[in-house]
Amino acid sequence: MSRYIMVIDTRRCVGCQDCVVACQTENNVPSGYCRDWITETASGEYPTVRLEIRSERCNHCDNPPCVHCCPTGASHVHERGGVVLVTPEKCIGCKACLASCPYDARFIHPKGYADKCTFCIHRVERGLDPACVSVCPTHCMHFGDAEDPLSGVSRLLATRPHHTLLPEAGTKPRIYYLT
Amino acid sequence: MIEYTSTRHNPGIDPTLHLWGWEIPVYLFLGGLVAGLMMLSGYHLLRSRWDHDRAHGHYVTAPLFSLALLSAGMLTLFLDLEHKVQVWRLYLTFRPASPMSWGSWILLLVYPALAASALLTLPDSLPRLVRRLPVLSRVAATLSGRDGTVHLIGFANLVLGAMLGVYTGVLLSALGARPLWNSALLGPLFLFSGLSTGAATLHLLSHLTPRARGDAPGFSDALASVLVTWLRPPSAPEGSRKLEQADNSFLTIELVLLALFFGGLMTSTLAHQTGARLLLTGPWAAPFWVFVVGSGILLPLLLQFLQAQRRIQSTLVPALLVIGGGLALRFILVAAGQASHWSIALP
Ligand code: SF4
Ligand code: SF4
């Protein structure tokens, strides 16, 4: 079984938002909404200030509360790479999954169903990278199979310090940030 | 020092989650209230021999009221759905990890149980209708004919009422991303709040329903009677004192559960403490202390205590305060819970 993950190098990311626009174009994201976004965290006191720029999206958690709480099975784990997806025709728009996500990664599409990042599964199934990964001008984003020890993402995780977001929430997120 | 900026601006999500407006709190309130009514009338059916010639006071109209209130609650739940055409999908599957799935199936069981007790009490609650449709009277007679059937209906109402009441709390507590709701005590808290509002509603009903068979204004005149009874202090009907005592026990347990709920959160992680502070000292503190704890629990406790001691005249004020407090509890918890977040605790 493959286990798709994303590894994002925060030392390279400049917060240009190309990934955000690429996703909106690729996935027809309605205007005023976004499936991925940029955050900046500045911490510390001058002169030892640390700035981290991150491209964030659904973490396709290994322990996804959004899937567990869904009453209809619309939110589910895809057999390919364990990607967390929503079937719009099954979604009743109860918003339980939105409230259960510690990352606030979902939103209600104007057509009424829950929507979020799909890891561009339609591209991945054709052997392509997700749109955000493929357009990044600094090549800071990497996509691949964590089960394969020889994949680029596995090697990056083996050699570089990294962290995930809100690990204390217990969702086992699958987007790793290199620091 | 930490400074955080984000380019995300999704409607309903940013700057803080605001997914649920008035519909869900009203649904949770009505669900809890119906749960309380079901448990109290279920207990009454289990304890007493059903006999149409005896006065059962307020228990007579409770099942019909419950059916109306539950349907209103279901309507508000439906109004909240964003993809209404797919609502039938709830009943194509059962997902044991999803409290909402449990809830929709529990509601499906609650209706027949309530309908059975409503049919049982119909000759007393809607005598004119039953006189016009004798078949209803035959059904009621069949149901009330055997003690075993009456007890089964009572037992079903008691158990399903408890499940419904606990579920309204579990619905929120299962959403682990919102630390304020992260307490297993939310289920029992909502159950006892439902029982206290249920007892208060029975108390209200007891001033509206016939005391003896025959002089019935019936269910249809209930709303008009509410206004009339409100204007003059009613005399305490039979069973009313017992209800006040029951209500006081439920309110006391609710107060203890609230204290334990906050105790648990305040001794947990920083995210949970921050969540609890939203109610204790934060933006929701004023309405919480005034409407939930003050006028929703402490004041009715005191008034009902004084009424029981016959130091003051019995009025409907404590019952109305309890009902208002139950509604405020749901509104405040749903609103503040959405604002509570794990990332608030980030260093
Ligand atoms: S990030 Fe949120 S929406 Fe995505 S899998 Fe995790 S809990 Fe679900
Ligand atoms: S909003 Fe849709 S996907 Fe989310 S929990 Fe409800 S039915 Fe499932």
Side-chain angles (χ1 to χ4, degrees):
Chain A
M1 265 284 282
S2 50
R3 181 171 167 268
Y4 290 148
I5 64 165
M6 220 178 246
V7 177
I8 301 176
D9 193 342
T10 61
R11 292 185 166 246
R12 282 183 174 229
C13 177
V14 292
C16 69
Q17 304 216 44
D18 268 12
C19 51
V20 179
V21 178
C23 170
Q24 286 168 331
T25 315
E26 174 71 28
N27 295 300
N28 251 328
V29 179
S31 97
Y33 293 79
C34 56
R35 286 182 178 183
D36 58 350
W37 58 93
I38 301 291
T39 64
E40 287 184 24
T41 314
S43 50
E45 298 286 339
Y46 178 82
T48 49
V49 181
R50 192 171 171 280
L51 178 71
E52 185 172 287
I53 305 176
R54 293 187 300 261
S55 168
E56 294 186 7
R57 61 195 44 60
C58 163
N59 283 274
H60 295 273
C61 305
D62 274 336
N63 181 26
C66 53
V67 171
H68 301 151
C69 74
C70 177
T72 65
S75 280
H76 63 282
V77 178
H78 194 53
E79 71 265 7
R80 184 159 182 150
V83 177
V84 175
L85 296 176
V86 181
T87 311
E89 309 78 60
K90 279 192 181 178
C91 174
I92 57 171
C94 69
K95 297 174 278 192
C97 56
L98 279 75
S100 78
C101 171
Y103 309 96
D104 293 340
R106 296 177 168 227
F107 58 87
I108 290 291
H109 190 283
K111 287 190 180 150
Y113 55 83
D115 198 12
K116 67 171 198 72
C117 160
T118 61
F119 263 174
C120 278
I121 192 77
H122 61 290
R123 287 173 58 93
V124 174
E125 279 174 339
R126 298 196 330 253
L128 300 169
D129 267 340
C132 52
V133 176
S134 70
V135 299
C136 178
T138 64
H139 295 292
C140 78
M141 302 168 79
H142 308 265
F143 178 81
D145 181 9
E147 293 292 302
D148 173 6
L150 297 178
S151 67
V153 285
S154 298
R155 283 197 227 179
L156 279 169
L157 289 188
T159 54
R160 297 269 307 268
H162 53 266
H163 70 91
T164 53
L165 297 180
L166 298 176
E168 62 273 32
T171 59
K172 299 193 183 153
R174 273 197 274 156
I175 307 244
Y176 297 83
Y177 293 95
L178 302 177
T179 52
Chain B
M1 200 262 325
I2 188 150
E3 231 179 73
Y4 174 83
T5 56
S6 168
T7 63
R8 197 181 58 198
H9 44 72
N10 285 334
I13 306 294
D14 301 301
T16 50
L17 206 69
H18 46 286
L19 300 169
W20 291 321
W22 64 271
E23 296 93 340
I24 294 296
V26 169
Y27 164 66
L28 295 179
F29 166 72
L30 291 175
L33 175 50
V34 169
L37 283 174
M38 283 178 78
M39 288 185 73
L40 292 167
S41 47
Y43 180 70
H44 180 75
L45 287 181
L46 273 179
R47 288 275 317 252
S48 65
R49 273 183 60 82
W50 196 259
D51 170 358
H52 289 297
D53 293 328
R54 263 187 48 209
H56 292 274
H58 31 274
Y59 292 103
V60 158
T61 36
L64 270 183
F65 240 83
S66 303
L67 273 177
L69 293 176
L70 190 65
S71 305
M74 295 281 280
L75 179 69
T76 61
L77 181 64
F78 177 72
L79 288 178
D80 178 70
L81 296 183
E82 306 283 347
H83 216 193
K84 297 185 175 57
V85 288
Q86 300 291 348
V87 63
W88 51 279
R89 295 271 183 188
L90 279 173
Y91 294 109
L92 287 191
T93 174
F94 170 61
R95 314 208 61 94
S98 161
M100 214 169 269
S101 186
W102 275 95
S104 41
W105 286 103
I106 289 175
L107 284 170
L108 211 63
L109 297 175
V110 158
Y111 265 102
L114 263 181
S117 55
L119 276 173
L120 180 71
T121 51
L122 216 51
D124 302 276
S125 58
L126 287 176
R128 280 183 223 144
L129 180 75
V130 172
R131 251 176 264 137
R132 246 178 257 149
L133 291 171
V135 62
L136 290 175
S137 140
R138 280 199 294 278
V139 173
T142 317
L143 288 176
S144 57
R146 287 176 46 194
D147 280 353
T149 320
V150 175
H151 287 169
L152 185 68
I153 295 174
F155 184 70
N157 274 276
L158 193 64
V159 173
L160 286 165
M163 286 170 80
L164 179 65
V166 171
Y167 141 76
T168 58
V170 173
L171 195 66
L172 297 182
S173 69
L175 301 170
R178 314 294 146 194
L180 174 60
W181 293 337
N182 257 207
S183 167
L185 287 170
L186 218 50
L189 178 66
F190 277 23
L191 175 69
F192 277 93
S193 165
L195 275 166
S196 66
T197 51
T201 306
L202 273 183
H203 198 149
L204 279 182
L205 288 175
S206 68
H207 292 280
L208 318 172
T209 42
R211 316 250 162 87
R213 208 180 164 198
D215 63 344
F219 181 73
S220 51
D221 295 334
L223 273 179
S225 318
V226 169
L227 295 173
V228 175
T229 341
W230 172 237
L231 295 174
R232 61 179 163 79
S235 59
E238 185 202 341
S240 177
R241 297 236 176 276
K242 267 193 195 156
L243 266 179
E244 279 173 9
Q245 281 164 6
D247 202 12
N248 269 0
S249 328
F250 298 144
L251 287 173
T252 311
I253 296 172
E254 194 184 334
L255 203 58
V256 172
L257 286 171
L258 258 181
L260 289 172
F261 170 71
F262 284 115
L265 291 178
M266 290 307 283
T267 50
S268 188
T269 70
L270 185 57
H272 293 94
Q273 292 171 16
T274 315
R277 283 205 194 92
L278 290 174
L279 295 190
L280 295 175
T281 53
W284 281 273
F288 175 73
W289 288 110
V290 174
F291 295 118
V292 178
V293 180
S295 66
I297 300 180
L298 293 177
L299 190 57
L301 258 178
L302 180 71
L303 289 175
Q304 290 184 146
F305 176 74
L306 292 176
Q307 280 173 199
Q309 304 267 308
R310 296 179 200 271
R311 300 232 199 118
I312 57 171
Q313 207 174 17
S314 171
T315 65
L316 292 179
V317 174
L320 291 169
L321 286 176
V322 169
I323 292 172
L327 189 59
L329 176 73
R330 271 57 166 207
F331 263 97
I332 292 170
L333 264 176
V334 169
Q338 293 184 79
S340 83
H341 201 284
W342 276 96
S343 63
I344 288 169
L346 279 175

